[in-house]
Amino acid sequence: MPLKIIGTGSALPELVVTNKKLEQMMDTTDEWIRSRTGIRQRHIAVKETTTSMAAAAAGRAMKEAGVEPSEIDLIIVGTVSGDKHFPSTACEIQRELLMVNAVAFDVNAACAGFLFGLTIADAYFQSGRAKTALIVGAETLSKMVDWKDRGTCVLFGDGAGAAVVRKEETGILHMVQGSDGGRGEALTCENRPVNTPFTRESFARGELQNEISYLKMDGQAVFRFAVRTVPQAILQVLKEAKISPDEVKYFVLHQANIRIIEAVAKKIGQPMEKFPTNLQKCGNISAASVPILLDHVNKDGKLQRGDKIVLAGFGAGLTWGAAVLTW
Ligand code: COA
């Protein structure tokens, strides 16, 4: 596959909300959250927006890549929490960072959004439509969760991660992706309801104007899906690329829950040391989790050219994707 990651960047909101802080706000405990998920804190946007964090992460990725904004010819943002229905977050950051030569759009594949973005960029590269792409995952999930639902609001955080990818001979070796809309009810967030003079009497009465839907999740169904599908996807992408799991230096997984990551490690027979995590500090940031963690591992100096890395994301849809690459 003619696709190489040449720079990464990330951005997190300033405000850190610890489990202890949540204890003061709702009927929960630090012990419950840590033992069920591994999460100790999360960053929550107050001044930041999905667009501002996406632009900050993208700027850092371009700086590391040594790429000018005008060289970017494709911008894909994986997000389920853009600031506007339209324009897309991708078009918003295009404007902000003056990436005037790019085609820009968002992808809704929830927590697999970054992996789906990479796959689309590969198709653009292979068809000769683009040469230098910016792939971003950016979320403000704090506005999607019901802060009265302790079963979900403690799990998520806000942030953005980005990567610049270029058409090159080596880099991403293989990718797989999948979707199962049949099981999509496990994790949903409704849009605003149709509310016009033609559909609802309540419109005339002025009701429903403030009706907001929040993220709803069947946690155990999502858990079962993740621990079954993610190992399968990882083993499939490695098998098809003819790479043994032992050759992989790091498995950079979507950061939903430490118990999911432990189960994946066990199923593919690899030690936890190969699974870097930041969910303890960041919580689950949906499409942004994978690129933020990749950037943290990169900035920590843990990656050397030639290392084999696996990326894997999974989430609402249901959707999943995995990639194996040479750094
Ligand atoms: N604090 C304290 N207690 C809580 C709580 C909280 N924040 N949230 C839920 N509980 C309670 C429940 O009310 C329930 O109480 P009950 O037994 O009296 O009814 C109990 O804890 C167990 O709840 P349950 O939902 O069965 O827990 P669980 O072991 O399934 O863990 C998750 C819940 C969400 C941590 C777990 O299902 C999970 O991680 N699922 C995957 C979610 C995920 O990764 N989603 C994103 C995918 S992209």
Side-chain angles (χ1 to χ4, degrees), residues 206-227:
E207 294 171 5
L208 291 168
Q209 299 299 321
N210 297 317
E211 197 174 273
I212 299 174
S213 284
Y214 294 106
L215 179 153
K216 292 197 185 75
M217 181 174 73
D218 177 346
Q220 291 179 10
V222 176
F223 196 96
R224 284 193 301 274
F225 149 69
V227 299

Side-chain angles (χ1 to χ4, degrees), residues 27-29 32-33 36-37 111 150-152 154-156 187 217 219-220 222-223 254 256-257 259-260 284 314-316:
D27 182 15
T28 190
T29 61
W32 191 97
I33 302 170
R36 302 281 172 134
T37 70
C111 311
R150 65 178 183 170
T152 53
V154 303
L155 306 175
F156 297 96
L187 185 49
M217 181 174 73
Q220 291 179 10
V222 176
F223 196 96
H254 172 49
N257 185 316
R259 292 187 298 137
I260 292 176
N284 178 346
F314 56 91

Side-chain angles (χ1 to χ4, degrees), residues 7-326:
T8 63
S10 61
L12 292 166
E14 204 177 301
L15 178 69
V16 170
V17 176
T18 61
N19 293 349
K20 287 278 177 207
K21 176 75 185 164
L22 294 182
E23 275 183 4
Q24 296 159 14
M25 297 166 58
M26 63 189 75
D27 182 15
T28 190
T29 61
D30 174 48
E31 200 284 327
W32 191 97
I33 302 170
R34 270 192 296 112
S35 63
R36 302 281 172 134
T37 70
I39 297 165
R40 292 167 184 267
Q41 62 171 57
R42 69 289 293 142
H43 292 252
I44 298 292
V46 178
K47 290 176 276 181
E48 304 83 358
T49 63
T50 298
T51 300
S52 73
M53 293 186 290
R60 287 167 193 157
M62 283 194 283
K63 190 166 180 217
E64 186 181 276
V67 160
E68 292 297 321
S70 59
E71 289 176 66
I72 301 288
D73 48 19
L74 174 65
I75 306 165
I76 304 173
V77 178
T79 186
V80 294
S81 53
D83 303 321
K84 299 174 182 168
H85 284 291
F86 46 81
S88 65
T89 305
C91 284
E92 295 275 276
I93 65 170
Q94 174 179 36
R95 183 182 57 194
E96 202 155 306
L97 299 179
L98 303 175
M99 295 180 279
V100 289
N101 295 316
V103 59
F105 54 88
D106 289 356
V107 167
N108 179 343
C111 311
F114 184 74
L115 272 297
F116 277 45
L118 283 179
T119 316
I120 297 166
D122 175 53
Y124 268 69
F125 287 1
Q126 296 217 32
S127 66
R129 283 161 200 254
K131 288 195 184 105
T132 311
L134 176 69
I135 318 294
V136 183
E139 306 281 12
T140 39
L141 292 169
S142 58
K143 69 190 178 207
M144 315 291 283
V145 295
D146 179 354
W147 284 92
K148 294 194 184 79
D149 175 11
R150 65 178 183 170
T152 53
C153 71
V154 303
L155 306 175
F156 297 96
D158 301 331
V164 176
V165 294
R166 186 179 266 159
K167 189 170 179 173
E168 281 189 22
E169 283 316 304
T170 57
I172 297 206
L173 303 168
H174 192 49
M175 292 189 268
V176 297
Q177 51 181 164
S179 315
D180 182 1
R183 288 188 288 161
E185 287 302 308
L187 185 49
T188 61
C189 187
E190 303 281 327
N191 205 333
R192 66 178 80 173
V194 174
N195 185 28
T196 69
F198 316 106
T199 54
R200 291 177 185 231
E201 284 175 23
S202 51
F203 179 88
R205 296 197 299 270
E207 294 171 5
L208 291 168
Q209 299 299 321
N210 297 317
E211 197 174 273
I212 299 174
S213 284
Y214 294 106
L215 179 153
K216 292 197 185 75
M217 181 174 73
D218 177 346
Q220 291 179 10
V222 176
F223 196 96
R224 284 193 301 274
F225 149 69
V227 299
R228 190 173 53 241
T229 310
V230 180
Q232 280 170 2
I234 292 174
L235 292 175
Q236 183 192 348
V237 82
L238 288 173
K239 189 175 170 201
E240 290 174 5
K242 298 190 173 49
I243 292 167
S244 134
D246 294 340
E247 291 175 62
V248 175
K249 183 164 178 190
Y250 290 121
F251 295 86
V252 176
L253 265 52
H254 172 49
Q255 300 288 292
N257 185 316
I258 195 71
R259 292 187 298 137
I260 292 176
I261 297 172
E262 285 166 354
V264 173
K266 199 168 164 204
K267 280 199 176 173
I268 63 173
Q270 293 295 307
M272 273 302 281
E273 296 73 64
K274 285 190 174 187
F275 291 76
T277 56
N278 63 8
L279 63 85
Q280 298 82 352
K281 291 184 173 171
C282 299
N284 178 346
I285 321 181
S286 190
S289 273
V290 170
I292 291 175
L293 180 59
L294 182 65
D295 183 54
H296 288 176
V297 174
N298 180 22
K299 295 294 190 298
D300 286 348
K302 291 181 179 161
L303 300 177
Q304 328 249 278
R305 286 293 162 202
D307 286 344
K308 300 268 188 297
I309 315 286
V310 164
L311 310 177
F314 56 91
L318 302 171
T319 55
W320 61 93
V324 56
L325 58 98
T326 303

